[in-house]
Amino acid sequence: NTLISIIIPAFEESERLGDSVRQILSYIKNENLNAELIIVDDGSKDNTTEVGKKVCAEFPELPTKVIRYEKNRGKGFAVKTGLL
């Protein structure tokens, strides 16, 4: 069972998301944490989902997921979606 779930709600974040996700996943790996990372793309029109998937693929040994839905529904909905 995963002890920690880190949820990142993202909207139009393709420019900033990659470095942040890379730092978080590096920390999880280096500290050997029992954690997963979930990115929720809140209806972005840019390539936020693709950036998230690409960086997560750099850490295949860690549990990650990228969730996307088409319509922007707000940060609260994105966090709730990630928790579910």
Side-chain angles (χ1 to χ4, degrees), residues 1-16:
N1 288 343
T2 301
L3 183 61
I4 300 169
S5 294
I6 300 167
I7 300 166
I8 301 177
F11 177 71
E12 308 285 333
E13 295 290 340
S14 63
E15 295 294 318
R16 300 185 308 169

Side-chain angles (χ1 to χ4, degrees), residues 18-19 21-23 25-26 29 50-62 64:
D19 290 337
V21 170
R22 198 171 283 111
Q23 287 178 9
L25 292 173
S26 292
K29 181 179 177 181
E50 290 77 13
V51 171
K53 287 180 177 180
K54 181 181 175 204
V55 176
C56 288
E58 295 173 15
F59 298 83
E61 69 282 4
L62 299 179
T64 60

